[in-house]
Amino acid sequence: MSDSSELPEVPRGSAANQQSGDGPSQGRKRHMRTPGMPEEEQRARQQRRRRVRGLLDEGRRREKKQDEGAGVVESDALQETVEQDASKMEPKLTETEATLEQKPWETIVIGADLGVNLSHIEAKNREIAQQRYVIEHDKKHSPEQVAHQQMLLDELIKEREEMPDNEENNMPEDQREEGNRIDERLKLLNWGLETCQCEAEEVNIRAAIQGYRSKEIPYSEKYTLIYAGRIVDFCPTYQSFCEDRKERLDRYFAIYGPGWLWHEPPLSGTGVGPQAKKGPFNSATDKRLAHREFTTLLDSGATFSVLLQKDLKQLEVDLKWYSAQGITNLATLDTVQGYRFYEMTVSVRDNNGGPIVGQGELAVWPDELRILGGLYPVCVSSKTGKTNSADRLSGLIPFEACYMSSTPTMRRLWLGEDRRDVLGSSRMPPHMRYNSEKKISVVVPDATLEHLRSETRTPDRVIFEHILNSPTRDLTLADIDLLGERGKSQLLIVETESEGKRVPKRSVILEPREGSHEVAPPRDEAPIKLWRKNIVPPGDLGRDSREQQIQKRMRLR
């Protein structure tokens, strides 16, 4: 497998070596680079900000006077140099990657995401910009569609002209939805209160309702933790209060006495709230000593796992004394319904209910529990009557916890602890293609080779090779799972010098069971032999041009 990317040497102190000081992502906040805007949207946004800018102008002028001087000039010059260095190090974009640089509305895909946190006017302006883009596309590729698309554009322009240019239509979505989201949350909490069976749960729900009404729970992108009827903390992510769960609960118990933990989700931000959308898939959940396996529908559209209320009996959960950790609305294709959720240890299992994690020396992380999963919210459906495994949903845990692969037409999805568990010649044969109208396949002319390939399972070695398009140096990156050493891999950068000799410039051994990694000597003989043996066969290290070397590697693969 080969791709094109640029990886020149990174100077120390350059922008590429600096890490952001913002820390982990906050809640569900989406970090996106701000693209260009249609002219109409730019004008609207500028008008909206003029009032604020007027108030800030005087302060900025004072700051400018204070910042004048040699020190500031020197800092600006240094910053300019750093930015120039960083710009030189930007990798070349492949054709696929280049599409990511397009503006959101430069797409012919209906229903595409046109931006984040838009006002009504901004959203309509982007619809118009997208429609104009579609018309330009059709002029080149489908001229017979232009008249119809122009009619749709005229309708959008008319709708825009009829929109009042008022505060509501200029307000960003997040700000505009604040009142609605809090009202919806209170409505859901009141539903939870009315259907509650557990006294400890009721205490927490009442505390949440009071917190919203008193604004003690702010409209923010953080989780609010409630324990024993008290608001006790605010956390940026779900993981942030799972990592220290035992210590956290011990601390709350010492201060507040017995109680159950409840958390309120972040209401601010775009796209908040879990989803549930409709191959069997096995997962296991446990609570203390209870441990059961359930067959669920592998469903990437469901954020949380979903079980049936009758399944709780199998887990020894009595809703009269076992408190939920929260409630949420799950949005399906056509409905929105309230669900309680319970935090459980959820793990991906094989068809017989066993772990898919290696044991002992076969485990990548031998000191960790033999599970692929962890503490996870499990929603409980109150559906009654006839049910089946499709009523139980896996949620995102398999996609979060496992390596995963699939191949066209094979109707299988491989999940595993390690990347080599989901790769292999039989699992991922080359050139497969799906077509519902005809069969497309490659016939291997050698029956012996085809039989041997079909009998293969987990590969003994995995090698990824990437040619790095440095403007001045011939560099190649190799990422190797070492032969016969499960849970051990090597990252290697090799430079092809003018004589055709390949010299490893950087080499790192990664082995979790030994504690992180070790750095191999830059000119150690072992990596050189490893590279020559496993990456490029002898005879392909001559003085060929770069293009000839690439062609040879492509033929070899």
Side-chain angles (χ1 to χ4, degrees), residues 173-183 215 219:
E173 177 189 2
D174 194 27
Q175 183 180 350
R176 184 178 68 243
E177 291 297 316
E178 178 176 354
N180 293 336
R181 290 175 183 173
I182 292 176
D183 289 345
K215 299 191 181 302
Y219 180 69

Side-chain angles (χ1 to χ4, degrees), residues 463-476:
I463 300 173
F464 293 102
E465 180 185 354
H466 304 269
I467 299 172
L468 307 174
N469 289 329
S470 170
T472 58
R473 305 168 64 185
D474 189 347
L475 302 176
T476 308

Side-chain angles (χ1 to χ4, degrees), residues 7-295:
L7 186 68
E9 291 289 320
V10 180
R12 292 186 180 181
S14 70
N17 267 344
Q18 303 302 318
Q19 295 181 351
S20 170
D22 294 338
S25 60
Q26 304 295 308
R28 298 170 184 260
K29 185 174 182 179
R30 295 172 62 183
H31 297 275
M32 298 183 65
R33 187 176 44 215
T34 303
M37 302 179 188
E39 292 183 4
E40 299 92 335
E41 183 176 328
Q42 286 180 338
R43 287 194 295 269
R45 183 166 284 190
Q46 288 169 358
Q47 291 172 359
R48 193 167 63 247
R49 292 174 177 171
R50 280 194 184 116
R51 291 187 294 271
V52 177
R53 288 177 178 172
L55 296 175
L56 296 175
D57 279 346
E58 183 61 31
R60 288 174 178 168
R61 283 192 291 269
R62 287 196 300 268
E63 291 175 1
K64 185 177 180 181
K65 290 180 180 179
Q66 294 172 357
D67 289 340
E68 289 176 350
V72 174
V73 173
E74 181 180 355
S75 175
D76 290 343
L78 176 60
Q79 178 65 24
E80 183 178 356
T81 302
V82 170
E83 291 176 354
Q84 289 174 351
D85 289 343
S87 66
K88 293 177 183 178
M89 292 183 288
E90 289 181 359
K92 290 183 178 180
L93 298 176
T94 64
E95 182 178 353
T96 301
E97 291 169 331
T99 61
L100 300 178
E101 297 297 312
Q102 293 180 332
K103 300 177 177 64
W105 56 86
E106 291 179 346
T107 175
I108 61 173
V109 178
I110 298 173
D113 184 1
L114 300 182
V116 177
N117 200 26
L118 303 177
S119 68
H120 289 312
I121 287 179
E122 288 172 335
K124 185 61 66 177
N125 287 343
R126 293 199 176 190
E127 286 185 60
I128 292 172
Q130 183 191 26
Q131 189 61 26
R132 285 176 174 153
Y133 181 84
V134 170
I135 290 174
E136 292 303 314
H137 176 274
D138 283 354
K139 285 179 181 179
K140 299 177 182 178
H141 303 285
S142 305
E144 70 280 359
Q145 294 291 324
V146 172
H148 176 70
Q149 296 298 332
Q150 183 62 48
M151 181 187 68
L152 297 179
L153 174 60
D154 293 340
E155 292 177 358
L156 290 172
I157 293 175
K158 182 180 179 182
E159 292 172 3
R160 171 64 182 88
E161 291 173 346
E162 294 174 350
M163 294 177 66
D165 191 9
N166 55 24
E167 183 179 3
E168 180 182 357
N169 284 337
N170 282 288
M171 190 177 295
E173 177 189 2
D174 194 27
Q175 183 180 350
R176 184 178 68 243
E177 291 297 316
E178 178 176 354
N180 293 336
R181 290 175 183 173
I182 292 176
D183 289 345
E184 286 296 318
R185 187 63 192 172
L186 286 170
K187 181 179 178 181
L188 181 62
L189 287 168
N190 280 310
W191 166 82
L193 194 61
E194 293 170 0
T195 56
C196 180
Q197 302 181 46
C198 175
E199 182 178 352
E201 180 182 308
E202 179 182 343
V203 169
N204 285 337
I205 294 176
R206 290 189 183 279
I209 293 173
Q210 180 59 31
Y212 285 114
R213 289 176 175 169
S214 66
K215 299 191 181 302
E216 188 177 355
I217 298 179
Y219 180 69
S220 74
E221 298 184 19
K222 292 187 176 183
Y223 288 82
T224 301
L225 302 191
I226 298 174
Y227 177 86
R230 296 173 176 86
I231 297 173
V232 293
D233 209 348
F234 301 94
C235 295
T237 64
Y238 179 75
Q239 185 175 0
S240 66
F241 59 93
C242 289
E243 293 174 343
D244 63 347
R245 181 61 61 89
K246 184 180 183 304
E247 295 79 4
R248 182 180 293 272
L249 291 178
D250 288 344
R251 184 169 69 252
Y252 295 159
F253 178 81
I255 299 173
Y256 305 110
W260 288 75
L261 186 67
W262 176 281
H263 65 261
E264 285 294 299
L267 298 185
S268 180
T270 57
V272 296
Q275 305 289 322
K277 304 174 184 175
K278 297 269 178 186
F281 161 77
N282 289 326
S283 64
T285 62
D286 69 2
K287 184 268 303 174
R288 297 179 185 176
L289 298 180
H291 182 100
R292 295 292 182 271
E293 285 76 38
F294 298 94
T295 298

